[in-house]
Amino acid sequence: MKIYLTRALGAILLSVFTSFYLSCAKDTDILVDNVIDSKDETEEKNPENGTEDFVVRTVVFSPIEDAHTQDTKGYNQYVLRLEQQRRSSYVMFDLSALNGEITDIILQFTVDSDEGDGNIDIYKGQSSNWSEKELEPSNAPQKDVLLGSINTHYDLGTTQKITLNESEIFPERTTFVLNHTGSNDLAFASKEHPDRIGPKLVVTYNAVPGSEVPETNEEEEEETQEPEEEPAPDDRTFEDGFFVTTNGSPDNDGLTEATAWSIEHAFETAVAGNIIYIKAGDYGNKQLIVDNSGLEDKPIQFIGYTNTPGDIITNDQGSTFNYGDALNPNTMPLISGIVQNGEGQGDGIIANENYIEISNFQITKYDRGLITSGDYCAFKNIVITEIGDFNPSHSFPTGTSNPQLNYSGFAMSLEGNHTKVSDCFVLNAGAEGIRISLGRFQVHERNKVYSDNNINPSDYYYLITNGARSNTFRDCYIERVGNLEHEGHGLSLKVDASLNEFYDVSIKNTKIECSFSEVFDNVFERCTIEGGSDRTGLILVANGAHNNIFRECTIDNAGGITFRDWNDGFADSRDETDAGNNNQFISCVVKNGKVGINFDIWDELGAVAHNNTFTDCEFRDLDNLFFVNRPNELNRMENCIVENVTAFSASVFKNNKYTLDFQFDENTQFINNGFDKP
C-alpha cells in the first residue's frame, strides 16, 4: 500500500508516531510494557534437576501484510474493516524467528474511524501465500481452526485484546482471518495508519538459554509510515484531499483528477480527516453510502466543485440553485435514480455516521434523496428534485380515490443531533421535503422547499416531528406554487416537537401548523405567510398544541389564525378533544384576508379552543374578524387594533350553533369596521 503524505506531515510523522506509542493511554501502556519485557529474560528452573531449561521471553510483532476484502474486491488502506457477510480482514505475522515453544499469544488492534459492536472470530488461515496489494476474495486464504473470539462494543480509539489458542500457532508465517457477526460494522487501524498503532501480536514463549532474541519488524513498520514516493508539488493542488470524477476508479490513488477515485469508492473508504473533492458531472444511478465516521476535529468532507475545488461559493446567501433552474451536471455533481412507472426508486445518499459534511450536490428521481442519522453532520447547497411517485394513475383524486396511494418521496430525512443544514433546495418531494425526526440541536438556515407538480403535490414541505426538540431555523422559505390539489402542510410541527425556534421563515400559499398536545413551547418570530391565488395560507393550531409563541408574525391575503381538531387516529393523549390552548400571539398582523381568527369546523368533534391570547396584534382589511364553527372559551385580545373589517363574525351554521366566548380589554381599538365595538 502506498501512503502519500505532505512533506510537512512526512517530516514529523516519526515524532507523532513515537509520541502516540509512548502515550499514557492504558492500553498503550500495556503494549509498551510488553515491548520492554521483550528485552528481558526470565530464567526458569527445571523442577526435577534444578538446571536452566529455558528462559521466558515476550516479543511484540507487527504485521508484514494486512488488508481486507469487501464484496468482490480487496482493499489495502489505512484501516481494516469488518462487516457481517460482507467484509473480512486478513493479518499476517512472521513468527519464523521464534526459537521455542509458544505459551501465550494475544492479538491487539485499535478501533479507528468506525466504531461498532458484535462478535469477532479470529481463525488461523490455511495459507500465508498472499500479499496485501493483490488480495481479493478469490485468492484470500480460507479459514482453518478457530483461535479466539471477542464480543463487545468497539468504541473509537480503544485497543481490543484477544487471547488466542497458542497450541495451534507455530514459529512460521501465520495468517489470521477476522470475521464479524453483529448489527454494526467496525474498522480498526492497519499497519499503514499514520496516527494510530496497527495490529500487534504479543507472543510469550520458552526460549533456549543463550539464544538470540528474534528480530521483529517494529522499526520496519516505522519506516513504512514514510511515503514510498511523494508526488511532485504540481501534481496536487489541494493537500490532504482526494479527487472523484465520473471516470474515476477504485483502483486509482485519488490524488489527482487524472488518478481520481470512483464516487462509490470515495464514500465507502473516506476516513476521518479526508476531504473528497467531487467534480461536476452526471454520475448516473448511484446509491452512495458513507461507511465511516469523522471526528470532531477531523470531519469527513465531500465537496462538489465545477472546475476547481472551491469554485462553488454560496456566501451564505442561499442555494446556488434557484426555482426555475434546470439541473445541470456541468455545474455540480449529479446522481439520478431510476424511474419505473413514474415512481422514483431507491435511496440517493445514506450518511448514518458522525461528523460527515456534504456540500454542492444534486440528487433527483429517487424515492428518498438524502438520509442521515449521524450526529454533528453538515449539509450545504444540496439540491434535490422530483423525489417520489409521480405516476398519474396514483394521483388523487384524478387517478385514484386513495389519497395515500402516492405518499412517497422523502427528499431529506434528518435524525441526527447537532446537524447543520444550510442553503439547500428541494422541489417536488411527493411525501415530505425536509423531515427532522428525533433530531435535536439542529440548525437550519436559508433552505428552500417548493412544490409545483399537481400529479403529486408535496404533503409536508418542512416537517418537525417524533421528538425533534431544541432545533433552530432561520431565513427558510416554503412555497406551494399555484392552485395545487393538496393545500399542503408548509411548516408542520407534530408528535412531540417542542422547544424549537423559528426566525424569519417565509411561507407562500400554505401554512404553519402546530398539531398535537406534545407540541409546545415552540417560538415563531417574524415569520410571514402570504396567500396564493386561492388565498390559501394560515397559522394552524390543532389537536391540543399549547404554550407556543408567535411574535411579530404576518399573515397577508390568506386564511388567518385557525384552531382545529380532528380524529387523528391515535388512541392516547394526542387524540384528546382540544383545539389548542394557552398559545400566545404577540405583535402579529393579519390583513387582506377572509378572516382574522377562525374557530374552524374541521371534523366538528366538539373540541374547544381555549385560553389563547392576542397581545398588541393588528387585524386589518378583512372580510370577517371571526369564524365561529367550533366551541371556544376564554380567548382574549389585549391592546390590539381591529380596522377596516367588514363583519364581526360568520358561521356555516344558520342557527349560530356555537357562541363566541372572547374577551377584549379596554385598550383594544376598533376603527372603521362594519360593526360596533363589542
Side-chain angles (χ1 to χ4, degrees):
M1 174 188 294
K2 294 182 180 180
I3 303 175
Y4 296 92
L5 305 174
T6 63
R7 293 183 184 275
L9 182 57
I12 64 171
L13 185 55
L14 183 59
S15 173
V16 172
F17 180 84
T18 305
S19 297
F20 184 87
Y21 196 84
L22 297 178
S23 69
C24 59
K26 179 179 179 181
D27 294 327
T28 308
D29 284 344
I30 294 174
L31 181 57
V32 172
D33 289 343
N34 285 330
V35 173
I36 294 173
D37 288 343
S38 69
K39 299 177 182 179
D40 298 331
E41 298 182 357
T42 304
E43 296 185 356
E44 298 287 345
K45 299 288 187 177
N46 186 305
E48 295 182 359
N49 56 27
T51 62
E52 295 182 2
D53 275 348
F54 55 81
V55 291
V56 177
R57 292 177 178 155
T58 298
V59 182
V60 180
F61 290 88
S62 293
I64 58 173
E65 308 280 350
D66 60 5
H68 72 274
T69 58
Q70 175 179 314
D71 299 329
T72 61
K73 296 181 180 180
Y75 294 90
N76 183 27
Q77 300 172 329
Y78 291 143
V79 292
L80 301 168
R81 302 182 186 280
L82 293 173
E83 183 176 2
Q84 180 173 334
Q85 296 182 339
R86 188 178 181 217
R87 296 163 168 163
S88 295
S89 288
Y90 301 82
V91 186
M92 186 194 304
F93 297 91
D94 187 358
L95 310 181
S96 57
L98 290 173
N99 52 6
E101 178 187 4
I102 297 173
T103 60
D104 188 70
I105 189 163
I106 297 173
L107 177 65
Q108 296 185 175
F109 61 83
T110 301
V111 182
D112 182 80
S113 301
D114 188 13
E115 66 181 21
D117 55 38
N119 185 76
I120 299 174
D121 289 326
I122 296 90
Y123 294 89
K124 185 177 181 180
Q126 291 184 1
S127 67
S128 292
N129 56 349
W130 59 276
S131 71
E132 59 188 22
K133 294 182 179 180
E134 298 177 355
L135 181 72
E136 56 186 41
S138 62
N139 62 23
Q142 299 298 307
K143 297 181 296 185
D144 195 353
V145 62
L146 179 66
L147 299 175
S149 300
I150 184 173
N151 194 332
T152 186
H153 182 79
Y154 306 99
D155 292 319
L156 286 177
T158 59
T159 298
Q160 306 295 328
K161 308 177 190 65
I162 307 99
T163 299
L164 305 182
N165 181 1
E166 74 283 353
S167 66
E168 298 289 343
I169 301 173
F170 307 100
E172 59 187 3
R173 285 197 175 195
T174 304
T175 294
F176 298 96
V177 182
L178 282 68
N179 278 1
H180 171 256
T181 54
S183 59
N184 192 3
D185 61 318
L186 70 147
F188 55 97
S190 74
K191 68 184 180 66
E192 290 87 359
H193 199 289
D195 298 321
R196 295 196 189 279
I197 297 175
K200 301 293 179 185
L201 198 67
V202 183
V203 180
T204 301
Y205 70 104
N206 295 332
V208 176
S211 61
E212 294 184 1
V213 177
E215 292 287 337
T216 69
N217 58 332
E218 290 291 298
E219 293 183 358
E220 178 184 336
E221 182 189 8
E222 288 188 5
E223 292 177 0
T224 63
Q225 301 295 319
E226 298 287 346
E228 295 181 14
E229 61 182 72
E230 187 172 302
D234 292 342
D235 289 345
R236 295 200 66 194
T237 305
F238 298 89
E239 295 183 356
D240 300 326
F242 296 88
F243 288 83
V244 168
T245 63
T246 54
N247 58 357
S249 169
D251 297 325
N252 291 337
D253 58 24
L255 298 179
T256 67
E257 282 191 8
T259 59
W261 282 344
S262 67
I263 195 167
E264 305 100 308
H265 181 75
F267 273 74
E268 289 174 354
T269 61
V271 297
N274 284 167
I275 303 174
I276 310 299
Y277 296 112
I278 307 174
K279 189 171 185 178
D282 189 343
Y283 289 82
N285 178 30
K286 306 290 186 184
Q287 182 185 80
L288 304 177
I289 302 176
V290 180
D291 270 356
N292 301 307
S293 287
L295 300 172
E296 181 177 5
D297 58 342
K298 294 181 179 180
I300 301 175
Q301 301 177 66
F302 300 90
I303 302 174
Y305 68 98
T306 304
N307 295 305
T308 303
D311 61 7
I312 300 176
I313 301 173
T314 66
N315 287 326
D316 295 333
Q317 298 298 313
S319 176
T320 58
F321 188 94
N322 296 304
Y323 179 73
D325 291 349
L327 295 177
N328 185 355
N330 295 320
T331 60
M332 291 196 300
L334 167 70
I335 58 172
S336 180
I338 294 176
V339 176
Q340 297 179 352
N341 299 320
E343 302 173 51
Q345 306 293 312
D347 302 329
I349 297 177
I350 301 174
N352 291 333
E353 306 295 338
N354 302 326
Y355 295 103
I356 305 300
E357 300 180 3
I358 303 176
S359 58
N360 309 328
F361 217 93
Q362 300 174 103
I363 305 170
T364 189
K365 294 180 171 48
Y366 291 88
D367 181 56
R368 300 191 301 176
L370 170 65
I371 304 100
T372 176
S373 60
D375 295 337
Y376 297 97
C377 294
F379 305 98
K380 186 179 181 69
N381 201 29
I382 308 297
V383 178
I384 306 178
T385 71
E386 304 301 322
I387 299 294
D389 181 354
F390 297 96
N391 184 337
S393 67
H394 297 168
S395 182
F396 175 84
T398 57
T400 178
S401 60
N402 180 1
Q404 296 297 314
L405 184 60
N406 61 0
Y407 193 82
S408 159
F410 304 82
M412 301 181 74
S413 180
L414 312 164
E415 294 187 358
N417 300 320
H418 302 280
T419 300
K420 184 172 184 179
V421 183
S422 57
D423 304 315
C424 292
F425 182 99
V426 173
L427 171 64
N428 293 328
E432 300 171 9
I434 301 178
R435 173 191 179 98
I436 301 93
S437 178
L438 303 175
R440 303 189 177 188
F441 308 106
Q442 294 191 13
V443 175
H444 291 239
E445 296 178 322
R446 303 175 302 278
N447 302 311
K448 296 181 178 181
V449 184
Y450 292 80
S451 177
D452 66 4
N453 190 324
N454 208 25
I455 294 175
N456 188 9
S458 294
D459 196 335
Y460 292 90
Y461 292 66
Y462 227 125
L463 176 61
I464 298 92
T465 189
N466 291 342
R469 296 187 175 187
S470 303
N471 303 294
T472 302
F473 303 78
R474 298 186 183 94
D475 300 305
C476 295
Y477 182 83
I478 298 166
E479 182 174 354
R480 169 179 170 258
V481 181
N483 189 12
L484 302 181
E485 185 65 38
H486 195 301
E487 291 185 1
H489 306 265
L491 175 59
S492 183
L493 283 70
K494 289 190 170 184
V495 191
D496 200 16
S498 59
L499 301 167
N500 300 288
E501 298 179 354
F502 303 84
Y503 302 98
D504 302 294
V505 176
S506 298
I507 298 173
K508 186 172 182 179
N509 206 19
T510 182
K511 56 180 171 280
I512 291 177
E513 174 183 11
C514 293
S515 182
F516 299 131
S517 58
E518 314 98 321
V519 176
F520 60 89
D521 288 346
N522 299 286
V523 176
F524 302 80
E525 289 194 4
R526 301 180 303 278
C527 297
T528 61
I529 300 173
E530 178 185 352
S533 58
D534 53 354
R535 303 177 83 183
T536 301
L538 48 86
I539 290 177
L540 174 64
V541 178
N543 293 16
H546 61 93
N547 293 95
N548 300 289
I549 297 175
F550 299 82
R551 183 181 289 111
E552 298 181 26
C553 296
T554 299
I555 304 174
D556 187 5
N557 191 38
I561 298 168
T562 299
F563 297 88
R564 287 179 184 165
D565 182 66
W566 58 85
N567 186 351
D568 48 50
F570 291 110
D572 56 19
S573 61
R574 285 173 285 192
D575 202 24
E576 64 185 33
T577 54
D578 187 330
N581 68 86
N582 290 288
N583 299 284
Q584 299 181 55
F585 298 83
I586 303 168
S587 300
C588 294
V589 176
V590 183
K591 61 183 181 179
N592 302 318
K594 295 175 285 189
V595 63
I597 300 172
N598 182 3
F599 299 113
D600 194 34
I601 190 175
W602 194 278
D603 266 16
E604 200 190 353
L605 297 176
V608 181
H610 62 96
N611 296 95
N612 300 287
T613 61
F614 302 80
T615 304
D616 298 319
C617 295
E618 299 180 18
F619 298 88
R620 300 182 182 275
D621 303 306
L622 303 171
D623 296 339
N624 299 274
L625 183 57
F626 295 102
F627 283 162
V628 188
N629 297 313
R630 79 165 46 253
N632 60 94
E633 61 184 33
L634 301 176
N635 301 291
R636 179 178 176 84
M637 279 190 192
E638 299 174 348
N639 199 37
C640 293
I641 295 175
V642 179
E643 184 175 8
N644 294 330
V645 179
T646 302
F648 180 66
S649 66
S651 175
V652 297
F653 301 105
K654 293 182 179 180
N655 61 352
N656 294 323
K657 179 177 181 180
Y658 297 109
T659 301
L660 180 66
D661 181 0
F662 207 98
Q663 302 172 7
F664 305 90
D665 78 336
E666 60 183 14
N667 295 320
T668 294
Q669 302 178 52
F670 287 78
I671 304 170
N672 194 31
N673 301 303
F675 53 90
D676 295 331
K677 181 176 180 178

